[in-house]
Short mmCIF file of all heavy atoms in Angstrom, two decimals:
data_model
loop_
_atom_site.label_atom_id
_atom_site.label_comp_id
_atom_site.label_asym_id
_atom_site.label_seq_id
_atom_site.Cartn_x
_atom_site.Cartn_y
_atom_site.Cartn_z
N LEU A 1 113.53 -119.38 152.23
CA LEU A 1 112.55 -119.70 153.25
C LEU A 1 112.80 -118.83 154.48
O LEU A 1 113.93 -118.79 154.99
CB LEU A 1 112.63 -121.17 153.65
CG LEU A 1 112.26 -122.20 152.57
CD1 LEU A 1 112.47 -123.61 153.09
CD2 LEU A 1 110.82 -122.01 152.12
N SER A 2 111.77 -118.15 154.95
CA SER A 2 111.87 -117.30 156.13
C SER A 2 110.85 -117.75 157.16
O SER A 2 109.65 -117.76 156.89
CB SER A 2 111.63 -115.83 155.76
OG SER A 2 112.62 -115.37 154.86
N LEU A 3 111.35 -118.14 158.33
CA LEU A 3 110.47 -118.55 159.43
C LEU A 3 110.00 -117.29 160.16
O LEU A 3 110.81 -116.53 160.71
CB LEU A 3 111.22 -119.48 160.39
CG LEU A 3 110.44 -119.94 161.62
CD1 LEU A 3 109.21 -120.75 161.21
CD2 LEU A 3 111.34 -120.77 162.54
N CYS A 4 108.69 -117.08 160.17
CA CYS A 4 108.12 -115.86 160.74
C CYS A 4 107.44 -116.12 162.09
O CYS A 4 106.43 -115.48 162.40
CB CYS A 4 107.13 -115.23 159.76
SG CYS A 4 107.88 -114.73 158.20
N SER A 5 107.95 -117.03 162.85
CA SER A 5 107.40 -117.32 164.18
C SER A 5 108.50 -117.94 165.03
O SER A 5 109.58 -118.28 164.53
CB SER A 5 106.19 -118.25 164.09
OG SER A 5 106.62 -119.58 163.79
N THR A 6 108.20 -118.12 166.31
CA THR A 6 109.14 -118.76 167.22
C THR A 6 108.75 -120.21 167.47
O THR A 6 109.24 -120.83 168.43
CB THR A 6 109.20 -117.99 168.55
OG1 THR A 6 107.87 -117.92 169.11
CG2 THR A 6 109.72 -116.58 168.34
N ASN A 7 107.88 -120.77 166.64
CA ASN A 7 107.46 -122.15 166.82
C ASN A 7 108.63 -123.10 166.63
O ASN A 7 109.53 -122.87 165.83
CB ASN A 7 106.36 -122.51 165.81
CG ASN A 7 105.09 -121.72 166.02
OD1 ASN A 7 104.83 -121.24 167.13
ND2 ASN A 7 104.29 -121.56 164.98
N THR A 8 108.59 -124.21 167.38
CA THR A 8 109.56 -125.29 167.19
C THR A 8 109.03 -126.21 166.10
O THR A 8 107.92 -126.72 166.19
CB THR A 8 109.76 -126.08 168.49
OG1 THR A 8 110.28 -125.20 169.50
CG2 THR A 8 110.74 -127.23 168.27
N LEU A 9 109.82 -126.42 165.06
CA LEU A 9 109.37 -127.21 163.92
C LEU A 9 109.71 -128.68 164.13
O LEU A 9 110.77 -129.02 164.67
CB LEU A 9 110.05 -126.70 162.64
CG LEU A 9 109.81 -125.23 162.30
CD1 LEU A 9 110.47 -124.88 160.98
CD2 LEU A 9 108.33 -124.91 162.26
N PRO A 10 108.83 -129.57 163.68
CA PRO A 10 109.08 -131.01 163.84
C PRO A 10 110.18 -131.47 162.88
O PRO A 10 110.44 -130.81 161.86
CB PRO A 10 107.73 -131.63 163.47
CG PRO A 10 107.09 -130.63 162.56
CD PRO A 10 107.54 -129.29 163.04
N PRO A 11 110.81 -132.61 163.16
CA PRO A 11 111.87 -133.13 162.28
C PRO A 11 111.28 -133.78 161.04
O PRO A 11 111.37 -134.99 160.84
CB PRO A 11 112.60 -134.14 163.17
CG PRO A 11 111.55 -134.60 164.13
CD PRO A 11 110.65 -133.42 164.38
N GLU A 12 110.68 -132.97 160.19
CA GLU A 12 110.10 -133.45 158.95
C GLU A 12 110.98 -133.04 157.77
O GLU A 12 111.75 -132.09 157.87
CB GLU A 12 108.68 -132.90 158.77
CG GLU A 12 107.71 -133.33 159.85
CD GLU A 12 106.34 -132.71 159.65
OE1 GLU A 12 106.22 -131.87 158.73
OE2 GLU A 12 105.41 -133.05 160.39
N TYR A 13 110.82 -133.76 156.67
CA TYR A 13 111.58 -133.46 155.47
C TYR A 13 110.66 -132.93 154.38
O TYR A 13 109.53 -133.39 154.23
CB TYR A 13 112.32 -134.69 154.95
CG TYR A 13 113.55 -135.05 155.74
CD1 TYR A 13 113.47 -135.89 156.84
CD2 TYR A 13 114.80 -134.56 155.36
CE1 TYR A 13 114.61 -136.22 157.57
CE2 TYR A 13 115.95 -134.89 156.07
CZ TYR A 13 115.84 -135.72 157.17
OH TYR A 13 116.97 -136.05 157.88
N LEU A 14 111.18 -131.96 153.63
CA LEU A 14 110.53 -131.50 152.42
C LEU A 14 111.37 -131.95 151.23
O LEU A 14 112.60 -131.76 151.23
CB LEU A 14 110.38 -129.98 152.40
CG LEU A 14 109.33 -129.36 153.33
CD1 LEU A 14 109.33 -127.85 153.16
CD2 LEU A 14 107.96 -129.92 153.03
N ALA A 15 110.73 -132.53 150.23
CA ALA A 15 111.43 -132.98 149.03
C ALA A 15 111.21 -131.96 147.92
O ALA A 15 110.07 -131.62 147.60
CB ALA A 15 110.92 -134.36 148.60
N ILE A 16 112.30 -131.46 147.35
CA ILE A 16 112.23 -130.41 146.33
C ILE A 16 113.03 -130.85 145.12
O ILE A 16 114.18 -131.28 145.23
CB ILE A 16 112.80 -129.09 146.88
CG1 ILE A 16 112.07 -128.68 148.16
CG2 ILE A 16 112.68 -127.98 145.83
CD1 ILE A 16 112.68 -127.49 148.85
N TRP A 17 112.40 -130.75 143.96
CA TRP A 17 113.07 -131.11 142.71
C TRP A 17 113.88 -129.93 142.18
O TRP A 17 113.44 -128.78 142.23
CB TRP A 17 112.05 -131.50 141.64
CG TRP A 17 111.35 -132.81 141.86
CD1 TRP A 17 110.05 -132.99 142.23
CD2 TRP A 17 111.90 -134.13 141.71
NE1 TRP A 17 109.76 -134.33 142.32
CE2 TRP A 17 110.89 -135.06 142.01
CE3 TRP A 17 113.18 -134.60 141.36
CZ2 TRP A 17 111.09 -136.42 141.96
CZ3 TRP A 17 113.38 -135.98 141.32
CH2 TRP A 17 112.34 -136.87 141.61
N GLY A 18 115.05 -130.23 141.62
CA GLY A 18 115.82 -129.26 140.84
C GLY A 18 116.34 -128.06 141.61
O GLY A 18 116.64 -127.03 141.01
N LEU A 19 116.47 -128.17 142.92
CA LEU A 19 116.89 -127.01 143.72
C LEU A 19 118.35 -126.67 143.44
O LEU A 19 119.24 -127.52 143.55
CB LEU A 19 116.69 -127.30 145.21
CG LEU A 19 116.96 -126.14 146.16
CD1 LEU A 19 116.00 -124.99 145.88
CD2 LEU A 19 116.84 -126.60 147.61
N LYS A 20 118.60 -125.42 143.05
CA LYS A 20 119.96 -124.95 142.80
C LYS A 20 120.50 -124.15 143.97
O LYS A 20 121.63 -124.37 144.41
CB LYS A 20 120.00 -124.07 141.54
CG LYS A 20 119.72 -124.81 140.25
CD LYS A 20 119.82 -123.87 139.06
CE LYS A 20 119.59 -124.60 137.75
NZ LYS A 20 119.70 -123.68 136.57
N ARG A 21 119.70 -123.19 144.45
CA ARG A 21 120.14 -122.34 145.56
C ARG A 21 119.08 -122.30 146.64
O ARG A 21 117.89 -122.26 146.36
CB ARG A 21 120.42 -120.91 145.07
CG ARG A 21 121.64 -120.77 144.19
CD ARG A 21 121.88 -119.31 143.83
NE ARG A 21 123.05 -119.15 142.99
CZ ARG A 21 123.05 -119.27 141.67
NH1 ARG A 21 121.92 -119.54 141.04
NH2 ARG A 21 124.15 -119.13 140.97
N LEU A 22 119.56 -122.28 147.88
CA LEU A 22 118.66 -122.18 149.03
C LEU A 22 119.18 -121.10 149.96
O LEU A 22 120.37 -121.02 150.27
CB LEU A 22 118.59 -123.51 149.77
CG LEU A 22 117.79 -123.48 151.09
CD1 LEU A 22 116.30 -123.25 150.81
CD2 LEU A 22 118.00 -124.77 151.87
N ARG A 23 118.24 -120.24 150.40
CA ARG A 23 118.55 -119.25 151.43
C ARG A 23 117.54 -119.43 152.56
O ARG A 23 116.36 -119.69 152.31
CB ARG A 23 118.47 -117.83 150.87
CG ARG A 23 119.56 -117.50 149.86
CD ARG A 23 119.38 -116.09 149.32
NE ARG A 23 118.15 -115.97 148.55
CZ ARG A 23 117.56 -114.82 148.26
NH1 ARG A 23 118.05 -113.68 148.75
NH2 ARG A 23 116.47 -114.78 147.53
N ILE A 24 117.98 -119.29 153.78
CA ILE A 24 117.08 -119.41 154.92
C ILE A 24 117.29 -118.22 155.86
O ILE A 24 118.39 -117.68 155.97
CB ILE A 24 117.26 -120.73 155.70
CG1 ILE A 24 118.64 -120.79 156.35
CG2 ILE A 24 117.04 -121.93 154.79
CD1 ILE A 24 118.78 -121.92 157.35
N ASN A 25 116.19 -117.84 156.52
CA ASN A 25 116.24 -116.77 157.50
C ASN A 25 115.31 -117.15 158.64
O ASN A 25 114.12 -117.39 158.42
CB ASN A 25 115.81 -115.44 156.88
CG ASN A 25 116.00 -114.28 157.83
OD1 ASN A 25 116.51 -114.44 158.93
ND2 ASN A 25 115.59 -113.09 157.41
N ALA A 26 115.87 -117.24 159.84
CA ALA A 26 115.07 -117.58 161.03
C ALA A 26 115.25 -116.51 162.09
O ALA A 26 115.38 -116.79 163.27
CB ALA A 26 115.49 -118.95 161.57
N GLU A 27 115.24 -115.26 161.64
CA GLU A 27 115.50 -114.14 162.55
C GLU A 27 114.47 -114.05 163.66
O GLU A 27 114.76 -113.61 164.77
CB GLU A 27 115.55 -112.83 161.77
CG GLU A 27 115.96 -111.63 162.61
CD GLU A 27 116.09 -110.36 161.78
OE1 GLU A 27 115.94 -110.46 160.55
OE2 GLU A 27 116.33 -109.30 162.36
N ALA A 28 113.24 -114.48 163.36
CA ALA A 28 112.20 -114.43 164.39
C ALA A 28 112.51 -115.38 165.54
O ALA A 28 112.07 -115.16 166.66
CB ALA A 28 110.84 -114.80 163.78
N LYS A 29 113.28 -116.44 165.24
CA LYS A 29 113.60 -117.43 166.26
C LYS A 29 115.04 -117.27 166.76
O LYS A 29 115.30 -117.37 167.95
CB LYS A 29 113.41 -118.84 165.69
CG LYS A 29 113.45 -119.96 166.71
CD LYS A 29 113.12 -121.28 166.06
CE LYS A 29 113.12 -122.42 167.06
NZ LYS A 29 112.05 -122.26 168.06
N HIS A 30 115.96 -117.04 165.84
CA HIS A 30 117.37 -116.86 166.18
C HIS A 30 117.89 -115.62 165.47
O HIS A 30 117.74 -115.51 164.26
CB HIS A 30 118.21 -118.08 165.76
CG HIS A 30 117.72 -119.38 166.33
ND1 HIS A 30 117.75 -119.65 167.69
CD2 HIS A 30 117.19 -120.47 165.74
CE1 HIS A 30 117.26 -120.87 167.89
NE2 HIS A 30 116.91 -121.38 166.73
N PRO A 31 118.50 -114.69 166.20
CA PRO A 31 119.01 -113.46 165.55
C PRO A 31 120.31 -113.73 164.78
O PRO A 31 121.37 -113.21 165.10
CB PRO A 31 119.24 -112.53 166.74
CG PRO A 31 119.54 -113.45 167.88
CD PRO A 31 118.70 -114.68 167.67
N LEU A 32 120.21 -114.55 163.76
CA LEU A 32 121.36 -114.90 162.95
C LEU A 32 121.22 -114.28 161.56
O LEU A 32 120.10 -114.07 161.08
CB LEU A 32 121.49 -116.42 162.82
CG LEU A 32 121.78 -117.20 164.10
CD1 LEU A 32 121.76 -118.69 163.82
CD2 LEU A 32 123.10 -116.79 164.70
N PRO A 33 122.32 -113.99 160.89
CA PRO A 33 122.22 -113.47 159.52
C PRO A 33 121.68 -114.53 158.57
O PRO A 33 121.72 -115.73 158.85
CB PRO A 33 123.67 -113.10 159.18
CG PRO A 33 124.51 -113.95 160.08
CD PRO A 33 123.72 -114.09 161.35
N GLU A 34 121.17 -114.07 157.45
CA GLU A 34 120.65 -114.99 156.44
C GLU A 34 121.76 -115.92 155.96
O GLU A 34 122.90 -115.51 155.76
CB GLU A 34 120.10 -114.17 155.27
CG GLU A 34 119.60 -115.01 154.12
CD GLU A 34 119.13 -114.15 152.95
OE1 GLU A 34 118.24 -113.31 153.17
OE2 GLU A 34 119.68 -114.31 151.84
N GLN A 35 121.41 -117.20 155.79
CA GLN A 35 122.36 -118.19 155.31
C GLN A 35 121.99 -118.62 153.89
O GLN A 35 120.82 -118.67 153.53
CB GLN A 35 122.38 -119.41 156.22
CG GLN A 35 122.78 -119.10 157.66
CD GLN A 35 122.93 -120.36 158.48
OE1 GLN A 35 123.69 -121.27 158.14
NE2 GLN A 35 122.18 -120.44 159.57
N SER A 36 123.00 -118.97 153.10
CA SER A 36 122.75 -119.40 151.73
C SER A 36 123.60 -120.63 151.43
O SER A 36 124.64 -120.87 152.03
CB SER A 36 123.08 -118.27 150.73
OG SER A 36 124.45 -117.94 150.80
N LEU A 37 123.11 -121.40 150.46
CA LEU A 37 123.78 -122.65 150.09
C LEU A 37 123.56 -122.89 148.61
O LEU A 37 122.43 -122.77 148.11
CB LEU A 37 123.21 -123.82 150.90
CG LEU A 37 123.81 -125.20 150.68
CD1 LEU A 37 125.25 -125.24 151.18
CD2 LEU A 37 122.98 -126.26 151.39
N LEU A 38 124.63 -123.20 147.88
CA LEU A 38 124.53 -123.55 146.47
C LEU A 38 124.53 -125.07 146.37
O LEU A 38 125.50 -125.73 146.73
CB LEU A 38 125.69 -122.97 145.67
CG LEU A 38 125.71 -123.28 144.18
CD1 LEU A 38 124.50 -122.66 143.50
CD2 LEU A 38 126.99 -122.79 143.53
N ILE A 39 123.41 -125.64 145.88
CA ILE A 39 123.27 -127.08 145.78
C ILE A 39 124.00 -127.60 144.55
O ILE A 39 124.80 -128.52 144.61
CB ILE A 39 121.78 -127.50 145.73
CG1 ILE A 39 121.02 -126.84 146.88
CG2 ILE A 39 121.66 -129.01 145.79
CD1 ILE A 39 121.56 -127.14 148.25
N HIS A 40 123.69 -127.02 143.40
CA HIS A 40 124.41 -127.33 142.17
C HIS A 40 124.32 -126.13 141.25
O HIS A 40 123.41 -125.31 141.35
CB HIS A 40 123.88 -128.60 141.49
CG HIS A 40 122.54 -128.43 140.84
ND1 HIS A 40 122.39 -128.09 139.53
CD2 HIS A 40 121.29 -128.55 141.34
CE1 HIS A 40 121.10 -128.01 139.24
NE2 HIS A 40 120.41 -128.28 140.31
N SER A 41 125.28 -126.02 140.35
CA SER A 41 125.38 -124.82 139.52
C SER A 41 124.51 -124.90 138.28
O SER A 41 124.10 -123.89 137.75
CB SER A 41 126.83 -124.59 139.11
OG SER A 41 127.29 -125.65 138.31
N GLY A 42 124.27 -126.08 137.77
CA GLY A 42 123.47 -126.22 136.57
C GLY A 42 124.07 -125.53 135.37
O GLY A 42 123.37 -125.06 134.49
N GLY A 43 125.42 -125.46 135.35
CA GLY A 43 126.10 -124.82 134.23
C GLY A 43 126.34 -123.35 134.41
O GLY A 43 126.92 -122.71 133.55
N GLU A 44 125.89 -122.76 135.54
CA GLU A 44 126.09 -121.35 135.75
C GLU A 44 127.46 -121.11 136.39
O GLU A 44 127.92 -121.90 137.19
CB GLU A 44 124.99 -120.79 136.67
CG GLU A 44 123.61 -120.95 136.05
CD GLU A 44 122.52 -120.57 137.03
OE1 GLU A 44 122.86 -120.21 138.17
OE2 GLU A 44 121.35 -120.64 136.66
N SER A 45 128.07 -120.01 136.05
CA SER A 45 129.40 -119.72 136.57
C SER A 45 129.48 -118.38 137.28
O SER A 45 130.56 -117.93 137.63
CB SER A 45 130.41 -119.72 135.41
OG SER A 45 130.05 -118.76 134.44
N GLU A 46 128.33 -117.73 137.51
CA GLU A 46 128.38 -116.41 138.09
C GLU A 46 128.58 -116.45 139.59
O GLU A 46 128.97 -115.46 140.19
CB GLU A 46 127.10 -115.63 137.77
CG GLU A 46 125.87 -116.04 138.56
CD GLU A 46 125.18 -117.26 137.99
OE1 GLU A 46 125.73 -117.86 137.04
OE2 GLU A 46 124.10 -117.62 138.48
N SER A 47 128.33 -117.57 140.24
CA SER A 47 128.44 -117.63 141.68
C SER A 47 129.84 -118.07 142.09
O SER A 47 130.47 -118.90 141.43
CB SER A 47 127.40 -118.61 142.26
OG SER A 47 127.57 -118.72 143.66
#
């Protein structure tokens, strides 16, 4: 997910099924490097 604006987002939740990996980028709002998170491996061992 990449935020392409400087808008302030409301405290809402998105529900996602089966999510294994998540990466976020909010460079338009904060000059931070891309972040990543492994939710579950699902039997994969490459990470």
Side-chain angles (χ1 to χ4, degrees):
L1 294 176
S2 297
L3 178 62
C4 298
S5 73
T6 57
N7 295 336
T8 299
L9 302 183
E12 298 178 354
Y13 284 88
L14 286 180
I16 304 172
W17 289 108
L19 186 62
K20 293 182 178 181
R21 290 183 180 86
L22 174 67
R23 292 178 294 161
I24 65 168
N25 187 3
E27 186 176 355
K29 191 175 182 65
H30 304 295
L32 295 176
E34 177 183 303
Q35 299 186 56
S36 62
L37 182 67
L38 179 64
I39 309 303
H40 73 92
S41 63
E44 299 173 359
S45 59
E46 75 278 6
S47 177

